[in-house]
Amino acid sequence: MSSTHHSQQPQQQQSQQQQQLRIDDALYSLIVKVLPPASRHGAGGESEDDHGEVDAEAEEQRQDDAFELARRIIDSPNSNAATADINYAYDLVKTKLLQEANSPEKALRFSNLYSRLLNQPVLSQKWGILYLLNQLADVRPQDQGPEIQGMARETPAASASPLFGGREASRRAESAVLPSRRGAEVKKRVNGPETTKAPEVATTEKSAEMSPSEAALLRDLPFTLQGLSSSNLPFASSTTLTLPKTLPVPIISLLHTLAEPSLLYRGLADFVQSTEGGLVGQSLRAAIGGELRSYLKLVSTLEAEIRRALASLDEKEPKGGRGGGVGKAGVTLKRCVVYTREATMGLRLMSLMVEESKGKKGGQLISVVHGFSSSHGDPFVGAFAERLLSHVTRPFYDMLRQWIYDGELSDPHLEFFVLEKHPGMTFETTTSSDSRSNAGATSVWEDKYTLDDAMVPSIITHDFARKIFLIGKSLNFIRYGCGDSEWVENYSKEASKELRYGDTATLEASIDEAYKTTMARLTHLMEGKFKLFEHLNALKKYLLLGQGDFIALLMESLSSNLDRPANTLFRHSLTAQLEHAIRGSNAQFDPPDVLRRLDARMLMQGHGDIGWDCFTLEYKIDAPVNVIVTPDGSRKYLKVFNFLWRVKRVEFALGSTWRRCMTGARGVLAAVEDKVGRDWKVARCCVAEMIHFVCQLQYYILFEVIESSWDELQVAMAKPGATLDDLIGAHARYLEAITHKGLLGSSGGRSSSSSFSSAGKEESFLSQLHEILKIMLAYKDAVDGLYSFSVAEFSRRQELSTRIETRTAQGKWGLTEADEDELRSPALDQKGGKHGGLGSSASSTPFGIKGGGGEDLMLPTLGQRLQTLSADFRARVNVLLGDLAYQPDVDMRFLGVVMNFNDVYQPVRRKRNKERERDKEKKTPVPGVAGSDGVDTAQGKKR
């Protein structure tokens, strides 16, 4: 093993030597090709052969010196200080070709060679090759010597701390700003003292022509870059820099380039000093101020180098001497342009941001800065904008953290995307009379905060902003609406985290966790502490007539009171009957808190209203449940109850009449069947028809509408992760389904015209049902009149039979004419007075008949009245069924099918307004045509 190891060492050394020889040969051949030939400066007495020998030796010596210099550069440990960026080296070489050679062909050829270089797998230090070529390209015979500089990232332009690469770059830049002494010695060794004479004279002549000199301009340049006026470069205004008119055009061009950062700095300095805008605007000013301080560090570094260079000049020599050239010192205006190039880009970018941010604040301002980072292709612009965003977004993330962890909005300048509409609104103020007068939900949940989409910054999406908005609003509601501030404080202490720009994963995780925790707590409070579902169930049982035994007992106990005029009823009597109905039904087993909220009251009374028209039940909802059951929702519940109470009243009245008829049919009515039997048969059929209509209507509303909607509400509220907005939306859809499908909010003119009144307006289903219910009540009164007539007839016959028996027992005639007149008159007065009252309440035609012959006219009048009301009922039901048949909702069409299951009705589809107008035009008589009016009228009647 040891012998093998010793045999491998000479082989490795031999291979390293061979590799070093190949590198030296390649480097020497490269220098021979790149190094330009030296100019001849021989004496006049020497021969051409001597000149050739001297030139050959000098050329060989120059090549050897260049070779040694290249080896030192490669082997120098500082050579690796340059950034190994092959793309940047490629850009630097290509820019030099375009500027110096001014030939696109050479740049294109270099691009092709660069592509071939990238495809070479053997070469590992491709960037070093381009770096060496770039440095060797500066070796010119007319220069003082090759200035061995770092790449552009090691110049003073890289010393601005956050602007151009950080503190490490600034420390390296101080040693690479100007040519080193070793570089100057290398220049002397490579070029020799003879090669600088002619160019030096040219530079001296050029500087002698300039006024002011380049040295004077360099001396004033640091002041100009700081936006300060100097003797040679004064500022005429904040946006104007005056240049000397005696300078040549190339110098003027350089000064124009250097004037741009000066003017930009003045404008940005004024912007930083201003105090306008909010917290985000001040953060932008602070960030720009930091960048301007970095720019001033660059200027100070450049000023130190300029002073050092100017101090190195020999001022005692005349300007035409060897020491008068500024370029010898290493600092020129052109190099200052190069040094400030990246700084100018940064100032230009900040100035553009300032221009676009005018009139914007908060999230809009963040979106402006973020636009440069997300939609710009230049990596420098993107990195610069990202660095600014880390400072600009600090106030925004502070407001965001306080919102999602404390539920408090700390936004004095209205910069956050959550807007507080009523800063003085508290939870107690939402129950005031002013808030009740507003339409829709009026609560701290709906009205206190709103989401301002225009202020949402582009660093977050709108869905994400919506989630943030719900988190803070829920925490605020828990704190002030639910009175659970202790939980909010504990949650804030446990979950609060620092949020900053760039940490997207932490932000999303924090938002998701806060969203789940907050929504779960809010839902738990509404279900547990405030008994939300218990109150919703109570509303369904009492206001939607779900508690059948309670409603039946309440109606039976209140029927005698509600038949009286409304102005004669008192609230304490209604409350007593309500308590009686609660104690006599299963409602007594409900929680006391539910029964305490139930109350009976009278609505606003009109002239001639009776108790049935004004009575209503009320269920009081307190905070915070009134966020879900809003005042508008309570009005909808009241509307549904009033309609269902009216339907229930009609059912109760028809049921009472039906029971009376069935009871009397076995006694009183059977005795007078020969006279009123036919009328009673028709009346019983019509009453049964009306009872069927009411029962089907109640079944549809209570089961098909309310129960199905209630099941959907329970499913929606039981979903995991449901928010308070989800609960509010589910309850709103529940009420909308009841009012629409329950024939309360839909119009019959959706698919067909529903004009039934003379005014030509479309009639809603609700008004149609109210008219039908009125007809039913009127028919019930007429049937009661018929029953009273039957009872009177039965009483008259019983009295007549008694008299006949008495007189017959006495041996007299059974009945005389005077007895018949005496028996007929009281019955007519009794029936006339009684039925006159019924008739006046139900129709304009009285039942009472004055004068003689009343018995003959009483029964036909009652029959005519019953027949008219029955026909009117059928006509209106036909119209209602016709409208239901063309409804888009399946359940509403099914209601029409159930009501007309045996096709006893003939549904009528009413004409639309346009068709009615055309019919009116057809009915208009045409002059000169006889009989046209009669034909149209007949056709109209036929229709």
Side-chain angles (χ1 to χ4, degrees):
M1 293 294 291
S2 61
S3 61
T4 304
H5 178 69
H6 289 297
S7 63
Q8 288 179 356
Q9 288 183 351
Q11 293 178 2
Q12 293 178 356
Q13 294 177 357
Q14 185 177 1
S15 62
Q16 291 177 358
Q17 292 176 359
Q18 292 177 358
Q19 184 177 4
Q20 187 66 33
L21 289 175
R22 287 198 301 269
I23 293 175
D24 293 342
D25 292 341
L27 181 61
Y28 191 82
S29 61
L30 180 63
I31 290 174
V32 170
K33 292 181 181 180
V34 173
L35 190 65
S39 59
R40 297 180 179 181
H41 297 285
E46 296 181 0
S47 62
E48 294 183 1
D49 295 337
D50 295 336
H51 280 300
E53 293 177 0
V54 173
D55 291 343
E57 292 177 358
E59 185 67 21
E60 185 177 357
Q61 183 64 32
R62 289 179 65 249
Q63 292 176 358
D64 292 340
D65 292 341
F67 176 75
E68 293 296 333
L69 175 62
R71 286 301 304 269
R72 285 197 299 272
I73 292 174
I74 294 174
D75 297 336
S76 175
N78 295 328
S79 64
N80 294 328
T83 304
D85 191 350
I86 186 171
N87 294 324
Y88 191 82
Y90 163 74
D91 294 337
L92 194 62
V93 175
K94 187 175 180 181
T95 304
K96 182 174 294 186
L97 290 175
L98 292 174
Q99 291 179 352
E100 296 181 359
N102 196 16
S103 175
E105 291 79 6
K106 291 185 179 180
L108 181 60
R109 183 182 178 189
F110 173 71
S111 300
N112 296 332
L113 293 175
Y114 173 71
S115 301
R116 294 170 60 185
L117 176 65
L118 292 179
N119 295 328
Q120 295 295 329
V122 179
L123 302 176
S124 60
Q125 300 291 333
K126 299 182 179 64
W127 71 273
I129 296 174
L130 295 179
Y131 177 83
L132 177 63
L133 292 175
N134 178 66
Q135 301 305 316
L136 292 177
D138 291 334
V139 180
R140 307 248 180 222
Q142 65 269 21
D143 291 340
Q144 297 290 337
E147 294 185 9
I148 307 303
Q149 301 177 357
M151 298 185 68
R153 299 186 182 183
E154 296 179 324
T155 60
S159 65
S161 170
L163 259 173
F164 310 104
R167 299 177 180 176
E168 183 179 356
S170 64
R171 290 196 301 267
R172 295 199 309 262
E174 295 181 358
S175 62
V177 170
L178 297 177
S180 62
R181 295 181 180 179
R182 187 184 60 157
E185 294 175 358
V186 171
K187 293 179 186 179
K188 293 179 181 179
R189 291 177 56 190
V190 175
N191 293 320
E194 294 85 2
T195 60
T196 62
K197 291 182 179 179
E200 188 177 308
V201 174
T203 306
T204 304
E205 293 175 356
K206 182 178 180 182
S207 61
E209 296 174 358
M210 290 176 53
S211 178
S213 64
E214 187 173 2
L217 294 175
L218 286 172
R219 187 177 291 107
D220 294 341
L221 182 61
F223 300 97
T224 304
L225 293 176
Q226 297 179 61
L228 302 175
S229 297
S230 60
S231 58
N232 296 318
L233 300 172
F235 283 90
S237 64
S238 60
T239 58
T240 306
L241 177 64
T242 304
L243 302 180
K245 300 181 180 179
T246 58
L247 295 176
V249 175
I251 301 299
I252 292 294
S253 177
L254 293 175
L255 291 178
H256 271 292
T257 306
L258 292 171
E260 182 183 2
S262 306
L263 296 175
L264 291 175
Y265 175 80
R266 285 176 67 100
L268 291 173
D270 294 340
F271 173 75
V272 171
Q273 294 299 326
S274 64
T275 59
E276 300 176 358
L279 297 178
V280 178
Q282 292 298 326
S283 297
L284 177 62
R285 287 174 172 80
I288 293 178
E291 300 295 338
L292 292 182
R293 287 190 293 272
S294 301
Y295 168 76
L296 292 179
K297 291 180 182 179
L298 168 66
V299 174
S300 64
T301 305
L302 185 60
E303 181 182 8
E305 297 300 332
I306 291 175
R307 290 181 179 180
R308 189 182 308 164
L310 294 178
S312 65
L313 295 176
D314 190 5
E315 297 180 356
K316 294 183 179 180
E317 291 186 1
K319 292 184 179 181
R322 291 179 58 186
V326 182
K328 180 180 178 181
V331 178
T332 61
L333 290 176
K334 187 174 183 181
R335 287 177 181 172
C336 290
V337 171
V338 176
Y339 297 159
T340 59
R341 182 176 301 167
E342 291 190 5
T344 304
M345 291 176 59
L347 293 173
R348 190 183 304 151
L349 182 59
M350 288 187 290
S351 179
L352 184 59
M353 290 180 182
V354 170
E355 289 296 327
E356 292 190 8
S357 64
K358 289 183 178 179
K360 295 180 174 62
K361 62 180 182 179
Q364 298 174 343
L365 194 57
I366 296 176
S367 299
V368 169
V369 182
H370 185 254
F372 288 91
S373 172
S374 60
S375 60
H376 206 286
D378 192 346
F380 172 79
V381 176
F384 187 83
E386 288 287 326
R387 188 164 58 249
L388 283 182
L389 277 175
S390 62
H391 298 281
V392 174
T393 55
R394 285 178 183 175
F396 172 80
Y397 279 102
D398 289 341
M399 289 184 284
L400 177 62
R401 184 189 59 80
Q402 192 170 3
W403 175 252
I404 65 174
Y405 291 125
D406 296 329
E408 297 289 346
L409 182 61
S410 177
D411 185 17
H413 301 284
L414 303 180
E415 297 176 293
F416 201 53
F417 56 83
V418 177
L419 181 63
E420 188 174 5
K421 294 192 295 186
H422 305 290
M425 174 180 285
T426 60
F427 193 79
E428 288 75 11
T429 57
T430 58
T431 58
S432 62
S433 58
D434 295 337
S435 64
R436 287 178 181 271
S437 62
N438 297 330
T442 55
S443 64
V444 70
W445 178 262
E446 294 290 340
D447 291 346
K448 188 174 182 180
Y449 297 107
T450 183
L451 181 63
D452 189 1
D453 294 331
M455 296 300 292
V456 176
S458 57
I459 58 177
I460 60 176
T461 62
H462 282 273
D463 294 338
F464 202 62
R466 180 70 182 174
K467 185 179 291 187
I468 293 172
F469 173 68
L470 288 177
I471 292 172
K473 191 167 70 168
S474 300
L475 287 174
N476 188 275
F477 184 75
I478 292 173
R479 182 190 293 270
Y480 297 105
C482 301
D484 197 5
S485 58
E486 183 179 356
W487 180 88
V488 177
E489 293 175 359
N490 295 333
Y491 165 75
S492 177
K493 293 177 182 178
E494 295 174 0
S496 181
K497 299 178 183 177
E498 183 181 359
L499 304 177
R500 62 181 182 272
Y501 177 75
D503 195 358
T504 308
T506 303
L507 178 62
E508 292 181 354
S510 301
I511 296 300
D512 291 339
E513 182 181 357
Y515 183 80
K516 293 178 182 178
T517 305
T518 306
M519 296 304 147
R521 178 62 181 178
L522 183 56
T523 306
H524 172 72
L525 286 175
M526 297 302 291
E527 294 178 0
K529 181 178 179 181
F530 299 106
K531 305 290 192 306
L532 171 63
F533 294 106
E534 187 174 288
H535 293 308
L536 292 178
N537 191 30
L539 287 169
K540 174 178 173 291
K541 289 169 60 176
Y542 298 115
L543 296 190
L544 302 183
L545 308 191
Q547 190 74 25
D549 57 343
F550 166 77
I551 297 298
L553 184 57
L554 178 65
M555 184 166 290
E556 185 177 355
S557 60
L558 285 175
S559 59
S560 59
N561 294 327
L562 296 181
D563 286 333
R564 296 183 298 175
N567 55 6
T568 62
L569 299 178
F570 299 97
R571 186 169 182 176
H572 66 272
S573 60
L574 300 179
T575 306
Q577 296 298 331
L578 176 63
E579 292 293 336
H580 170 70
I582 291 174
R583 290 193 300 268
S585 64
N586 288 330
Q588 61 181 323
F589 302 109
D590 285 345
D593 181 63
V594 172
L595 299 178
R596 178 180 56 84
R597 298 172 183 271
L598 193 61
D599 189 19
R601 63 185 183 92
M602 301 295 291
L603 297 176
M604 186 177 297
Q605 302 174 8
H607 180 69
D609 288 342
I610 61 176
W612 290 105
D613 301 326
C614 302
F615 174 80
T616 186
L617 284 181
E618 182 182 20
Y619 190 84
K620 298 177 182 179
I621 297 294
D622 297 333
V625 182
N626 60 358
V627 171
I628 297 177
V629 185
T630 61
D632 182 66
S634 299
R635 286 190 290 270
K636 289 183 178 180
Y637 274 113
L638 182 61
K639 185 177 181 180
V640 174
F641 172 78
N642 291 334
F643 175 70
L644 292 177
W645 181 257
R646 188 181 184 109
V647 175
K648 201 72 175 177
R649 174 207 174 183
V650 172
E651 182 195 26
F652 178 77
L654 291 177
S656 301
T657 301
W658 180 262
R659 286 193 299 271
R660 182 187 298 179
C661 294
M662 292 298 101
T663 304
R666 295 189 293 270
V668 177
L669 301 182
V672 294
E673 185 177 0
D674 57 333
K675 189 171 185 179
V676 294
R678 182 175 177 277
D679 294 329
W680 272 114
K681 182 178 181 180
V682 174
R684 281 194 292 266
C685 290
C686 189
V687 170
E689 191 175 333
M690 292 180 179
I691 292 176
H692 169 75
F693 178 87
V694 172
C695 290
Q696 294 300 325
L697 180 62
Q698 282 194 98
Y699 166 79
Y700 168 74
I701 296 177
L702 295 179
F703 293 95
E704 298 294 337
V705 176
I706 295 178
E707 287 296 334
S708 61
S709 301
W710 174 256
D711 293 339
E712 294 176 1
L713 175 64
Q714 287 182 318
V715 171
M717 289 188 169
K719 286 183 179 179
T723 65
L724 187 59
D725 278 335
D726 295 335
L727 301 183
I728 295 174
H731 184 260
R733 291 191 297 272
Y734 168 68
L735 287 180
E736 183 65 23
I738 292 175
T739 54
H740 170 65
K741 294 173 64 176
L743 313 180
L744 302 178
S746 58
S747 175
R750 289 191 172 189
S751 301
S752 63
S753 173
S754 58
S755 295
F756 194 86
S757 62
S758 59
K761 297 181 180 180
E762 291 189 349
E763 191 178 20
S764 66
F765 280 124
L766 184 61
S767 60
Q768 292 186 58
L769 289 174
H770 280 324
E771 292 297 327
I772 293 176
L773 295 177
K774 286 181 181 179
I775 293 174
M776 291 181 180
L777 292 176
Y779 195 86
K780 176 257 181 187
D781 290 339
V783 172
D784 288 344
L786 180 61
Y787 184 81
S788 299
F789 176 83
S790 301
V791 171
E793 180 67 20
F794 175 78
S795 299
R796 186 172 61 251
R797 290 187 179 186
Q798 289 291 334
E799 185 178 355
L800 180 61
S801 176
T802 303
R803 288 191 179 187
I804 291 174
E805 292 178 357
T806 303
R807 290 180 179 241
T808 304
Q810 294 176 356
K812 300 179 181 179
W813 291 99
L815 194 63
T816 62
E817 264 182 48
D819 294 333
E820 291 179 359
D821 294 337
E822 184 180 355
L823 289 173
R824 187 182 301 117
S825 297
L828 286 176
D829 292 339
Q830 182 182 3
K831 289 179 291 191
K834 185 174 182 178
H835 292 295
L838 290 172
S840 61
S841 62
S843 173
S844 60
T845 304
F847 293 147
I849 305 297
K850 295 182 180 180
E855 184 180 359
D856 297 334
L857 297 177
M858 184 68 179
L859 187 60
T861 303
L862 286 173
Q864 184 65 29
R865 175 66 176 166
L866 293 173
Q867 185 178 0
T868 302
L869 292 175
S870 176
D872 195 5
F873 169 76
R874 284 177 171 269
R876 290 186 177 273
V877 171
N878 287 334
V879 172
L880 178 63
L881 295 178
D883 289 341
L884 289 175
Y886 295 97
Q887 286 299 307
D889 190 82
V890 178
D891 294 333
M892 297 179 72
R893 294 199 301 267
F894 178 73
L895 173 63
V897 173
V898 171
M899 287 184 175
N900 193 24
F901 68 96
N902 56 355
D903 292 335
V904 69
Y905 300 107
Q906 301 297 325
V908 178
R909 185 180 181 184
R910 289 174 292 176
K911 299 178 181 179
R912 300 181 180 180
N913 293 331
K914 294 182 179 180
E915 296 178 356
R916 190 177 297 104
E917 291 176 359
R918 287 197 297 267
D919 290 345
K920 289 182 179 179
E921 292 177 359
K922 291 180 180 179
K923 293 179 181 180
T924 303
V926 180
V929 180
S932 60
D933 189 13
V935 174
D936 291 340
T937 304
Q939 291 178 353
K941 290 182 178 180
K942 186 177 181 180
R943 292 193 189 96

